[in-house]
Amino acid sequence: MTERTIDLDPGLRGWRSRKIHVRAYRWYATVSLDRDGYLSATDSSDRDDRLPAAYTEAVDRAREACMDRIRYDGCPGEFAWGSGPTWIPLFVPFPHVDAAVEALRTAELDHDYSGLHTLAERLALPVDGWLAPGQRELVRGVDFASPPAVFLRFLRRKAKEQGVRLNGRATAGSVWVRPTLSPVEKQEREAHPERYPGWVDRWTGYAEPDGAPARPPVGGRVHRLSHGAVPVRFRAVGSPSRGDCPCGMDLHARGEDDDRHATHHVQWALGVPVPRNLAWWGGLAVVTTRSPIAWRKLVSRVARMPQRENHYDFSSWSHLDAPEATPGDVRAYLLKANQRVVGYLVSSDRGRHARWDLARGSRYGERDDTLRPCIDLIWVADTHRRRGTGARLVRTLADDFGCQVADVSWSVPISEAGQRLARRLSPQGVWVNTPQDP
């Protein structure tokens, strides 16, 4: 199938015309309605950019049916699209591309959405029947057409959307299923019906009829170890108070945010993994704003750890464009352990400093305009804290510049942890950078 573009407004050829783009991929084709130029060329005072509710509903229904059919046919990937009136994409199986083009054309020009509904009905799958309660064997060629392993993977996905445990097994020519609903999922959906509109419990209390088919056993395995077991009881109690995890994320994140929290927390605690495409020969790497982009991207990932933990508005590293020289030679020091970045220090060379006695907490004392390396931010992974990791980074910075540790300057304000580190390294006081008179 070749790519093609269909103009819907012959009198407005060019960028002002509404267009339907068709593009082929491995498992499916995209049929997309492009309204961007058309809306831009229309007088904003006379137009309504919003799609009619019936239009949106028909597109969503057709898109969902198409994606289900593509996954049912074996596509293992995910789909991504944006919402809005300027670009309306459909992911369509190849035999239905022409029908999808005509359905979008009539919906856009004639406000006739029956074509989209017809496409959805033609591609609809009997998912409700497949996930009905009770154990049964679904036979390939009779109940479904795709390979059993592919079909079982599709059914597991649809069962998860309904909160159902499938308890399925694929054989050479069939799939055995026994959908059940756990008390946890039942309680969740009944407690929050607004999150699951249209959901109906069809599984609780279901009893297998006499003469129901029995699933053949698989050798070497003991089956029905939960047969006759007493269900676990649940009690409604007050949950712990909300708050932030020490890593900086919400303790009570749910769904996708919960996965993001777990990933972020592991990196905050153990360090950020080093990409495999980076050849890292020593224990510490010095990355500048002129380093290869892979290194600068790694610094940006590490910089998100202290930004999230301390709720900073801005990241301490933003040099992700073309390599460039920066005033003060901005650079980052990355300390590696167990193939993870466990220490991070970002620094630049500056003048205008003042002496500060941390022990007494007095006002700034002696002034100095000597060029010194200045610590903008320092961060250590949680499991490596209080082990001298921060001190090692500061000493490396001083050695790299060619000065003593006591001559290193610090950016203000200095956190409590930073003050403890500074006092330990320079008990007689530290230099702080003062770009303006304090």
Side-chain angles (χ1 to χ4, degrees):
M1 176 180 292
T2 58
E3 297 183 13
R4 62 182 188 270
T5 299
I6 304 163
D7 286 301
L8 300 186
D9 301 290
L12 295 175
R13 289 189 179 274
W15 66 273
R16 296 178 178 84
S17 170
R18 289 170 288 185
K19 306 175 184 64
I20 293 179
H21 302 281
V22 179
R23 176 174 295 181
Y25 294 90
R26 179 181 178 185
W27 292 94
Y28 57 88
T30 57
V31 179
S32 307
L33 173 62
D34 181 2
R35 308 172 77 239
D36 190 20
Y38 177 80
L39 292 178
S40 299
T42 306
D43 187 354
S44 60
S45 61
D46 298 333
R47 78 182 190 219
D48 185 1
D49 291 350
R50 296 173 299 178
L51 291 174
Y55 195 170
T56 302
E57 179 185 357
V59 168
D60 290 343
R61 185 186 177 198
R63 183 187 293 123
E64 187 66 27
C66 287
M67 292 190 300
D68 277 353
R69 177 68 68 162
I70 293 169
R71 293 191 182 103
Y72 168 79
D73 290 337
C75 178
E78 296 294 333
F79 301 93
W81 68 93
S83 60
T86 60
W87 187 263
I88 304 173
L90 293 177
F91 311 94
V92 186
F94 291 112
H96 303 278
V97 168
D98 291 339
V101 170
E102 181 61 20
L104 276 180
R105 189 192 68 81
T106 57
E108 179 65 19
L109 297 182
D110 304 332
H111 306 290
D112 180 4
Y113 311 127
S114 60
L116 291 170
H117 288 293
T118 300
L119 179 65
E121 293 168 1
R122 185 183 306 164
L123 295 177
L125 295 168
V127 175
D128 289 342
W130 290 335
L131 297 181
Q135 176 161 271
R136 60 199 174 280
E137 182 183 24
L138 303 175
V139 181
R140 184 181 186 184
V142 177
D143 300 296
F144 65 95
S146 55
V150 172
F151 178 61
L152 181 58
R153 181 178 64 199
F154 170 77
L155 275 189
R156 290 193 192 281
R157 182 188 186 98
K158 301 305 293 184
K160 184 177 181 181
E161 293 176 1
Q162 298 193 30
V164 174
R165 182 178 183 273
L166 187 61
N167 193 1
R169 176 165 62 87
T171 67
S174 66
V175 170
W176 282 89
V177 295
R178 184 166 61 86
T180 57
L181 180 67
S182 71
V184 175
E185 294 292 348
K186 176 180 173 63
Q187 181 177 343
E188 168 73 15
R189 282 161 170 72
E190 291 179 347
H192 305 282
E194 70 282 358
R195 298 179 186 172
Y196 311 97
W199 181 83
V200 178
D201 181 6
R202 300 181 291 153
W203 302 271
T204 302
Y206 175 83
E208 292 283 357
D210 295 336
R215 182 182 305 191
V218 178
R221 296 178 59 186
V222 179
H223 293 270
R224 300 179 67 85
L225 295 180
S226 293
H227 180 67
V230 178
V232 175
R233 295 185 301 112
F234 296 90
R235 298 286 300 276
V237 298
S239 60
S241 59
R242 289 184 174 271
D244 285 342
C245 179
C247 73
M249 296 193 71
D250 188 355
L251 278 170
H252 293 265
R254 296 183 58 85
E256 180 182 353
D257 288 339
D258 188 43
D259 296 336
R260 290 177 57 242
H261 179 196
T263 301
H264 175 83
H265 191 100
V266 170
Q267 295 183 6
W268 169 81
L270 302 180
V272 177
V274 176
R276 295 183 178 180
N277 63 330
L278 291 183
W280 194 321
W281 302 108
L284 187 142
V286 182
V287 183
T288 71
T289 57
R290 293 173 291 176
S291 297
I293 186 59
W295 284 97
R296 289 183 281 128
K297 284 184 176 180
L298 175 60
V299 175
S300 179
R301 287 179 56 199
V302 178
R304 287 200 290 268
M305 298 295 114
Q307 181 186 10
R308 176 81 71 174
E309 178 180 356
N310 298 291
H311 304 288
Y312 295 145
D313 293 332
F314 304 99
S315 173
S316 54
W317 186 270
S318 58
H319 306 282
L320 298 176
D321 295 326
E324 61 175 352
T326 52
D329 188 21
V330 176
R331 57 202 181 275
Y333 293 79
L334 303 180
L335 183 63
K336 182 184 69 169
N338 301 321
Q339 295 302 314
R340 289 178 177 268
V341 179
V342 300
Y344 165 63
L345 184 152
V346 60
S347 172
S348 59
D349 302 334
R350 302 179 189 173
R352 299 180 62 87
H353 312 279
R355 197 68 177 171
W356 188 24
D357 188 343
L358 286 171
R360 298 180 181 179
S362 59
R363 296 180 61 83
Y364 298 147
E366 175 188 355
R367 306 297 177 86
D368 181 87
D369 292 335
T370 303
L371 188 67
R372 302 176 184 274
C374 181
I375 299 174
D376 294 327
L377 185 142
I378 185 170
W379 173 83
V380 175
D382 184 61
T383 56
H384 291 264
R385 294 177 184 177
R386 295 171 293 279
R387 297 185 179 183
T389 305
R392 187 180 308 174
L393 287 168
V394 177
R395 293 191 183 99
T396 303
L397 171 64
D399 293 342
D400 193 43
F401 186 81
C403 67
Q404 300 297 318
V405 172
D407 295 327
V408 172
S409 183
W410 298 70
S411 291
V412 291
I414 308 175
S415 66
E416 293 182 3
Q419 292 185 31
R420 290 194 298 269
L421 175 61
R423 278 197 299 266
R424 189 163 61 251
L425 294 173
S426 184
Q428 304 302 322
V430 298
W431 293 101
V432 294
N433 181 246
T434 56
Q436 299 178 352
D437 292 336

